[in-house]
Amino acid sequence: HQADIGWVGMHSDLSDPDDIMLLFKSSPMGSFNHSHADQNHFVIYGYGEPLVIDSGYYDWYGSPHDVNWTRQTKAHNCVLVNGEGQPIFDITAKGSITDYFAGPAGAYTVGDATPAYKGKLSKFERHVSYVRPDTFLIVDELTAANPSTFTWCCHALDQMQINEEERRITITQGDAAADICFAAPGGLRFTQDDEFGTDPQARYASKPKQWHAYVEATERATTQRFVTLIHVRRANEPVQSVLPAEVRSGTALMLGGSSATGAALVADGDVPVEAGGLLYHGKQLLTRQLVDGSATLCIGIGLRRLDLSAAETLIRSDQPVDVAIWRDTEGQRLRDATLRLDTTATVSLACG
């Protein structure tokens, strides 16, 4: 976490060439000079391959392509409001990292890009949760003064596979792939193209096209929430099914379908969420079982209680607590628990 420049890096193992990495930016430097209009933007690399990319070329400073594409919000993995983004060459178009929490099991951060939209939005918070080694949950909380159309942008080097029925975008590059699954909002329109609008020139004129996916909420609204689960895998591994779970409040996704190798739960207010045998009382939860089944990892934010089943409570607290937990399956042994509290609390944790 580089607090002074507003960058966060999340890695499975920085020393491993097969590292899975998400880099996130929400910077106080604005979009001035060499900075782009990309507050709350992220990129993902996996197994040495660029998957979710920062698109565009740098043919020269201030070129038509640079100004009309590469610097623009639409060229980044950001959100557009009524087709518009953040201004370029504006030092006041700022973002900020408002929260960061991490432990051996994973990490969590929040970026606030509201000031960068210059009145188009009264709120844009992007919450990013990560459980090692390969799963990310992105929750975008958006508010505008008037009913607006919100568009979630995503970029890749090659054409993406879009499965509208399963609400999934798959990016494949070399030996790596990323599956991006949308749990919310309900109505979505998927499109993609390979157009920059203004092509690069000079020595970059012959560079390959890149691909751009746009996921648009079909209903105009003053408030909108995008909930997105991203799973990074080897390209020759099968896509893991991601199924929505019916809950009385909030949003729930189960990774692995009926085998339930992971879950993403996002609450609405102070209401517990029950899905896939889990009961979670908190703000957000992301869990993931390792591929070999040896351990379960989770990141929980604002947690008061987490039941793994009707008979087993993993953690309970009388005050909201943020947790990163690594729990071995054999013997149900707790390998690591990182906790963060804002006030004195009584916390019970099952250690195995």
Side-chain angles (χ1 to χ4, degrees), residues 176-194:
D179 300 309
I180 305 171
C181 302
F182 292 83
L188 294 173
R189 182 181 298 110
F190 292 81
T191 59
Q192 74 169 316
D193 62 48
D194 63 350

Side-chain angles (χ1 to χ4, degrees), residues 14-338:
L14 192 56
S15 66
D16 186 351
D18 288 336
D19 178 44
I20 295 171
M21 172 193 77
L22 180 146
L23 289 180
F24 179 66
K25 174 191 174 184
S26 198
S27 171
M29 305 301 180
S31 60
F32 183 67
N33 203 356
H34 285 278
S35 294
H36 293 179
D38 61 351
Q39 310 302 348
N40 280 5
H41 161 65
F42 69 94
V43 298
I44 295 176
Y45 281 63
Y47 304 105
E49 300 287 356
L51 294 167
V52 184
I53 69 163
D54 192 343
S55 80
Y57 293 105
Y58 184 59
D59 43 6
W60 71 84
Y61 184 92
S63 74
H65 176 72
D66 179 48
V67 170
N68 294 315
W69 181 264
T70 304
R71 292 177 174 274
Q72 297 286 342
T73 307
K74 63 186 177 182
H76 298 83
N77 306 300
C78 287
V79 172
L80 302 179
V81 187
N82 298 321
E84 299 181 347
Q86 307 160 23
I88 63 173
F89 293 118
D90 188 339
I91 201 169
T92 68
K94 300 175 183 290
S96 60
I97 301 296
T98 59
D99 198 7
Y100 175 76
F101 170 66
Y108 167 80
T109 194
V110 182
D112 184 355
T114 308
Y117 283 81
K118 296 297 177 178
K120 297 183 186 75
L121 294 174
S122 57
K123 180 181 182 181
F124 178 17
E125 289 182 352
R126 172 163 274 179
H127 302 250
V128 182
S129 297
Y130 170 50
V131 290
R132 292 187 169 90
D134 56 15
T135 307
F136 302 90
L137 173 66
I138 298 179
V139 180
D140 295 313
E141 302 283 4
L142 299 140
T143 304
N146 300 306
S148 300
T149 298
F150 298 95
T151 305
W152 203 94
C153 304
C154 176
H155 304 273
L157 291 179
D158 294 325
Q159 186 171 9
M160 295 166 258
Q161 293 178 287
I162 295 178
N163 186 323
E164 291 195 45
E165 183 179 354
E166 297 185 5
R167 298 162 61 91
R168 182 179 67 241
I169 296 173
T170 296
I171 298 170
T172 303
Q173 191 65 39
D175 293 332
D179 300 309
I180 305 171
C181 302
F182 292 83
L188 294 173
R189 182 181 298 110
F190 292 81
T191 59
Q192 74 169 316
D193 62 48
D194 63 350
E195 298 299 324
F196 290 126
T198 304
D199 290 331
Q201 301 177 36
R203 67 188 186 278
Y204 287 95
S206 60
K207 290 288 185 179
K209 294 280 193 177
Q210 297 169 348
W211 285 82
H212 323 291
Y214 304 101
V215 184
E216 181 180 290
T218 55
E219 290 190 16
R220 293 171 63 84
T222 55
T223 62
Q224 193 60 269
R225 172 190 281 172
F226 284 88
V227 178
T228 313
L229 186 70
I230 303 177
H231 178 229
V232 179
R233 57 181 171 83
R234 293 284 190 182
N236 61 0
E237 295 174 350
V239 175
Q240 289 208 21
S241 62
V242 176
L243 301 177
E246 192 170 316
V247 292
R248 63 189 177 115
S249 178
T251 304
L253 283 175
M254 308 307 295
L255 181 62
S258 59
S259 61
T261 58
L265 310 178
V266 182
D268 282 338
D270 191 25
V271 180
V273 179
E274 295 183 63
L278 296 171
L279 183 147
Y280 180 70
H281 188 183
K283 293 181 180 178
Q284 296 179 29
L285 175 73
L286 179 61
T287 73
R288 179 80 170 105
Q289 188 178 86
L290 296 184
V291 173
D292 62 6
S294 64
T296 298
L297 291 75
C298 77
I299 287 281
I301 302 301
L303 178 147
R304 289 179 179 269
R305 180 172 177 174
L306 173 58
D307 292 359
L308 300 180
S309 67
E312 184 180 12
T313 298
L314 178 60
I315 186 168
R316 187 196 301 262
S317 175
D318 64 352
Q319 298 292 331
V321 57
D322 302 328
V323 301
I325 294 175
W326 187 315
R327 187 171 186 261
D328 289 341
T329 303
E330 185 176 350
Q332 299 179 343
R333 183 177 65 88
L334 192 66
R335 180 182 297 188
D336 183 89
T338 304

